[in-house]
Amino acid sequence: MARGLNSSSACLHRKKTRMSKANTRILIIDDDQDIWKAYRLVLAPDLEAVGAPVRQLRELLAGSGATTSSNGHQFRLSFAKQGKEGWETAAAALEQRKPFALAFVDVRMPPGWDGMETAARLQQLDPDLEIIIVTAYSDRSCDEIVKAVGSPHKLLFLRKPFDAEELKRLTVSLTDKWQMARDEEARSRELQTLLCTRPAAIFALDDAQQTLSWNQSAELFTGYAAADVLGEKCIFHRIAENPVCRNCAGTCGLDKSPLVQHEFSITDREGNTKVLSLRIAHVPASKDRPAKDIGGFWDITLIKQTQERLSAVNRQLQKEIEEKDRLREEQIQLERKLHQAQKMQALGLMAGGVAHDLNNILSGLVGYPEILLFKLPKDSELRGPLLAISESGKRAAAVVADLLTIARGATTVRETVNLNNLVSEYLDSPEGGKLRTLYPDIAIRTHLPPEGNHISCSPVHVKKCLMNLLTNAA
């Protein structure tokens, strides 16, 4: 008898592990028909009409380049322009027993229901439907949408403009998740039917916790035959991993409650770990019968494994979504930095051209005064103005150098100079003289150490700093 039960169980297991045909029906609710073409291009490329405006579609897909592979899934797309129309389409599909596995819902669809109201109504209509809210950065926040819909379960978000690969992978993952959930529901129903049609594991204990009876289903679930347990203390205190059973004081069935239920793991005779659901009731003693405990248990290992797999799938999907959000944010930051670098590069090119022209002009202002100074006698009255012209030309050249420094990041020329000399040169320059002319009531006094201070700097910039400090003080 046990061999027959084992054989039928193995056949049942092989039958249930086969993959059901995936539900690839997808509902798209969006008032923009260009977006419809984008969905077709990514999810059902074989159905896209020849000669479609590929460039516009790729712009809708954020320039990612749509591919034609969908991992073997042949998606069937249905479209609706408004939220109410989409809800009616989903309701009709349920009536025909052809529900949608996934719905893409745009947030903004004037003038009817918006995406939040549509998503809430779709969840009420079909709690099993997976929903992706398609929203732009300028639309409402995710928290607002979740609050309006009422539940975050089976609700994800996709930003516009979306990436073709991301759209495809989300669609494949969520339709597979929907199908897995339906398969597991069917498996659970069949298991429940099996438990109802097959005798449950039944055993009985006396008031000393000695085993009185042990049926064939109990043998099947634990691997221990009746001859191994009859007359012995309750076997669960040896094979159960539940602390209550390990420390059994013989009181599990003597509780005040008429029925006690436990879920715990055991190690069967073959060394396999199983999860059992145990119910045990106490039967009080009567005149002609002693008190005893009667219990029944079921193997729920497969149900628990299924729940764990579904939880793992949900966690993995959440991690993928978080990772894609992180990569998208990094991409945005890199694009901003690239744009800034391109602007600086353009500015550098423009500054280079301007600097070239200015240097050509300034070469005369700097060169010719030096030639004239070379020819003039040392006591000539023209030496002062010529020196001023030459110094002005050099400062103008320094301004051009500053422009290149800012635009191209060029390194400023540094040299070791005496700070006292820089102060004296500025005060004797035309700029210093002009400052004294503008503010005749202000006296400028210097207190410079005789030994001087030598620093490594850009002399031009130090003089400009000194000029700014004196101008602000005046």
Side-chain angles (χ1 to χ4, degrees):
M1 180 64 180
R3 287 193 298 271
L5 289 173
N6 281 328
S7 175
S8 64
S9 176
C11 292
L12 178 65
H13 178 72
R14 286 193 296 270
K15 178 180 178 182
K16 289 178 180 295
T17 53
R18 296 171 185 167
M19 282 294 295
S20 300
K21 185 178 180 181
N23 178 9
T24 58
R25 285 182 287 275
I26 299 173
L27 176 61
I28 297 167
I29 306 175
D30 199 306
D31 59 348
D32 187 349
Q33 296 193 20
D34 285 336
I35 292 290
W36 295 9
K37 295 178 181 179
Y39 282 111
R40 286 195 186 99
L41 181 65
V42 177
L43 302 179
D46 294 338
L47 302 179
E48 179 64 19
V50 177
V54 177
R55 180 182 60 80
Q56 294 180 7
L57 296 181
R58 289 188 174 177
E59 290 177 358
L60 291 171
L61 297 176
S64 60
T67 59
T68 58
S69 172
S70 295
N71 296 335
H73 292 69
Q74 298 295 325
F75 295 110
R76 288 173 286 177
L77 310 181
S78 298
F79 297 90
K81 296 180 180 179
Q82 295 292 316
K84 185 175 182 181
E85 179 186 353
W87 183 91
E88 292 171 351
T89 303
L94 280 176
E95 278 188 58
Q96 298 171 9
R97 296 185 178 182
K98 296 180 179 179
F100 292 100
L102 173 63
F104 290 90
V105 182
D106 189 28
V107 169
R108 300 187 181 278
M109 295 179 291
W113 300 348
D114 63 6
M116 295 187 294
E117 182 178 359
T118 303
R121 290 177 181 265
L122 286 174
Q123 280 198 339
Q124 293 174 359
L125 174 68
D126 184 2
D128 296 328
L129 178 65
E130 302 286 344
I131 299 176
I132 295 180
I133 298 293
V134 182
T135 176
Y137 285 103
S138 59
D139 287 327
R140 301 187 183 182
S141 68
C142 296
D143 290 338
E144 288 181 283
I145 296 173
V146 170
K147 185 176 180 181
V149 173
S151 172
H153 302 295
K154 297 184 180 295
L155 184 64
L156 296 175
F157 298 90
L158 183 64
R159 295 284 188 185
K160 286 183 179 178
F162 49 74
D163 179 81
E165 187 65 24
E166 179 183 11
L167 173 65
K168 182 172 58 181
R169 290 186 62 186
L170 274 177
T171 304
V172 171
S173 297
L174 291 178
T175 52
D176 286 350
K177 176 187 172 186
W178 186 96
Q179 191 60 53
M180 182 182 293
R182 305 292 81 71
D183 290 346
E184 296 303 337
E185 288 174 2
R187 182 179 299 179
S188 297
R189 287 193 296 269
E190 291 186 19
L191 285 173
Q192 292 298 326
T193 303
L194 178 64
L195 291 176
C196 293
T197 56
R198 178 179 291 184
I202 305 296
F203 68 101
L205 306 173
D206 62 16
D207 56 359
Q209 297 298 295
Q210 302 294 317
T211 305
L212 300 176
S213 63
W214 189 259
N215 73 350
Q216 290 183 341
S217 293
E219 295 180 5
L220 172 66
F221 292 153
T222 65
Y224 290 91
D228 300 323
V229 299
L230 291 178
E232 303 292 334
K233 187 177 179 180
C234 176
I235 195 174
F236 288 120
H237 88 281
R238 291 192 290 115
I239 67 173
E241 299 178 5
N242 180 17
V244 175
C245 290
R246 287 283 187 182
N247 303 317
C248 180
T251 58
C252 62
L254 301 177
D255 192 90
K256 294 181 181 180
S257 303
L259 184 66
V260 178
Q261 183 172 352
H262 299 290
E263 282 188 8
F264 54 88
S265 299
I266 68 165
T267 302
D268 67 11
R269 193 162 195 166
E270 301 298 326
N272 301 314
T273 300
K274 296 181 178 179
V275 182
L276 302 183
S277 176
L278 169 69
R279 292 188 177 187
I280 190 166
H282 179 67
V283 180
S286 61
K287 292 182 179 180
D288 55 348
R289 291 183 301 179
K292 63 180 179 180
D293 297 330
I294 298 178
F297 58 90
W298 295 262
D299 185 355
I300 60 172
T301 306
L302 187 58
I303 295 175
K304 290 295 183 182
Q305 291 174 347
T306 299
Q307 292 174 348
E308 292 174 359
R309 286 198 298 268
L310 283 175
S311 297
V313 169
N314 286 332
R315 289 193 297 271
Q316 182 61 31
L317 184 59
Q318 184 64 32
K319 287 181 180 178
E320 290 181 5
I321 293 172
E322 291 174 356
E323 179 65 14
K324 287 191 174 294
D325 288 342
R326 184 186 67 80
L327 292 175
R328 180 180 293 277
E329 184 63 26
E330 289 182 358
Q331 181 182 359
I332 292 173
Q333 295 298 328
L334 289 174
E335 288 175 353
R336 288 175 180 171
K337 291 180 180 178
L338 176 61
H339 183 61
Q340 182 65 22
Q342 290 172 341
K343 287 170 60 179
M344 293 303 297
Q345 183 180 13
L347 183 59
L349 292 174
M350 180 187 69
V354 173
H356 177 73
D357 294 339
L358 289 177
N359 280 331
N360 289 336
I361 297 171
L362 293 173
S363 62
L365 293 176
V366 176
Y368 284 114
E370 292 180 353
I371 296 173
L372 292 174
L373 287 170
F374 181 75
K375 294 182 177 181
L376 287 175
K378 293 183 179 181
D379 57 351
S380 175
E381 296 179 354
L382 296 177
R383 294 188 68 85
L386 289 173
L387 285 172
I389 294 172
S390 178
E391 287 297 324
S392 298
K394 291 178 181 179
R395 285 192 295 275
V399 171
V400 174
D402 286 346
L403 180 62
L404 290 175
T405 299
I406 296 173
R408 295 182 176 177
T411 303
T412 303
V413 177
R414 289 175 169 268
E415 56 184 275
T416 301
V417 295
N418 189 319
L419 187 58
N420 292 355
N421 294 339
L422 294 179
V423 173
S424 299
E425 288 174 4
Y426 170 70
L427 294 178
D428 294 337
S429 68
E431 286 82 0
K434 183 178 180 181
L435 184 65
R436 287 191 291 270
T437 302
L438 291 174
Y439 304 99
D441 298 333
I442 296 177
I444 301 175
R445 298 185 181 91
T446 60
H447 300 278
L448 304 176
E451 65 276 7
N453 295 314
H454 289 81
I455 60 173
S456 176
C457 65
S458 170
V460 174
H461 290 103
V462 172
K463 290 180 181 179
K464 288 183 180 179
C465 291
L466 185 59
M467 177 186 69
N468 291 333
L469 288 173
L470 290 176
T471 303
N472 292 337

